[in-house]
Amino acid sequence: MVAENNEVLGEVFLVTRIGAVFSPYHNPPEAFKEAVLAAEAAGVPELWVWEDCFRESAFVPIAAALAWTTNLKIGLGIAPMPLRNVALTAMEIATVERMFPGRFYPGLGHGVQSWMAQAGAKVASPLTLMREYIPALRAILAGQEVSTSGRYVNLDKVRLDWPIENAPPVYGAGVGPKSLQLSGEMADGTILVAGMTPDEVAGHIKTIKSGSPQPESHTIISYITVAFGQGAKDRVAEEHKDQSIENDRGAWGTVAEVAETVKKFAEAGADAVILTPAVGEPDLIGFLGSVGEINRLLN
């Protein structure tokens, strides 16, 4: 984690990456452009999208968002590996990277197993798929010619005709300890889902980095469910209705109050804290403006 300290309003703040999520659950594709432009105008450094079945695809809106903006970075957190052949994923990432260098963070995970079954893409061993998929993807993006014969990933002399100068970091994701440890071993970073307390995040980070060959450089992305204004706590509670939201399992209230909770996730070891709007968010544009304010407060 970045360890600089800044004196702001008489207090010491940790410097960490801040971002927001464009949720496909309550926002149709045609709402994306307004959100992207609002995020850049508000000073939100990163906007993350989800490729959740069967809502919105990933790479088309990612390319559009990068074309509409100048500084905004776009994260994909996540795309399901079983739905995408690794060679195609490498082509997609490389194309975006060549068009918009240094502004894309691709992330991949197992996918929700019931959705994978619906799509006819479910695999018997998601861990085996990750173990085969992410190293092959990273090797292709690094410009190597890849041949491999595995249980799920089979490639014969695959090499990018349009290689990239600097491959973007490839993030993994997971929930259980085996998936998290494997992401630590195979990926450049790991995405942690919302609904965790800072203490739980710290514990998962230990699991992730126990498997990493370079734990100090392995990036941790932590989602956190957030709501501002009237009824904010109730909206966060509704998002995590199967859990208590005490102990900072989410954040709500004013910009300053949410910023205090975000700091706790940074202190727990998150390199990037990505704010996810709670269910029923009435004003996505206003939400993005508040995320921009939090970024200015903490950085």
Side-chain angles (χ1 to χ4, degrees):
M1 184 176 64
V2 178
E4 299 176 30
N5 288 329
N6 282 350
E7 292 289 338
V8 180
L9 301 178
E11 296 186 41
V12 177
F13 290 89
L14 289 171
V15 178
T16 192
R17 286 166 47 190
I18 301 294
V21 168
F22 178 85
S23 171
Y25 285 82
H26 311 292
N27 302 290
E30 58 269 26
F32 188 54
K33 184 174 184 179
E34 183 183 12
V36 166
L37 297 179
E40 177 148 275
V44 177
E46 303 177 17
L47 188 66
W48 286 69
V49 299
W50 298 340
E51 192 169 61
D52 281 10
C53 299
F54 297 93
R55 293 173 174 85
E56 296 161 24
S57 67
F59 288 96
V60 168
I62 286 166
L66 293 169
W68 293 328
T69 57
T70 302
N71 299 311
L72 186 68
K73 294 183 178 181
I74 302 294
L76 169 54
I78 60 170
M81 288 181 288
L83 275 180
R84 292 186 168 276
N85 181 281
V86 67
L88 176 61
T89 301
M91 291 162 59
E92 298 269 32
I93 293 171
T95 300
V96 172
E97 178 62 26
R98 286 187 68 105
M99 294 172 69
F100 308 101
R103 295 176 56 204
F104 177 38
Y105 299 127
L108 299 129
H110 302 308
V112 175
Q113 295 306 292
S114 60
W115 294 342
M116 298 303 99
Q118 283 180 270
K122 185 177 179 180
V123 298
S125 176
L127 289 172
T128 300
L129 175 60
M130 178 181 278
R131 184 172 292 279
E132 295 176 356
Y133 194 109
I134 290 182
L137 175 62
R138 294 178 70 198
I140 297 169
L141 293 176
Q144 299 175 26
E145 180 179 277
V146 179
S147 295
T148 183
S149 179
R151 184 175 178 182
Y152 300 114
V153 175
N154 293 279
L155 302 171
D156 181 19
K157 298 181 180 179
V158 171
R159 183 196 295 268
L160 292 170
D161 281 0
W162 292 101
I164 49 181
E165 185 173 345
N166 295 302
V170 174
Y171 297 140
V175 177
K178 290 182 180 179
S179 293
L180 294 174
Q181 190 172 42
L182 185 59
S183 178
E185 180 184 349
M186 295 292 164
D188 297 300
T190 299
I191 299 167
L192 295 174
V193 299
M196 300 179 190
T197 68
D199 286 345
E200 289 169 344
V201 165
H204 285 316
I205 290 172
K206 289 181 181 178
T207 299
I208 293 164
K209 295 200 173 186
S210 71
S212 176
Q214 296 180 308
E216 294 305 316
S217 63
H218 191 92
T219 303
I220 303 297
I221 312 294
S222 182
Y223 288 135
I224 174 175
T225 304
V226 170
F228 301 97
Q230 187 174 3
K233 184 175 182 179
D234 290 340
R235 295 202 302 278
V236 173
E238 176 64 20
E239 186 76 37
H240 300 296
K241 54 190 173 184
D242 58 335
Q243 300 172 298
S244 167
I245 61 169
E246 300 306 320
N247 300 316
D248 301 307
R249 196 184 301 277
W252 55 87
T254 66
V255 165
E257 288 169 336
V258 172
E260 286 299 317
T261 302
V262 169
K263 283 169 55 181
K264 295 177 183 179
F265 283 81
E267 291 162 354
D271 299 293
V273 183
I274 310 301
L275 283 60
T276 305
V279 63
E281 171 55 56
D283 180 10
L284 179 60
I285 305 306
F287 178 91
L288 293 170
S290 295
V291 175
E293 289 184 47
I294 288 172
N295 181 61
R296 287 188 289 276
L297 262 181
L298 300 186
N299 292 306

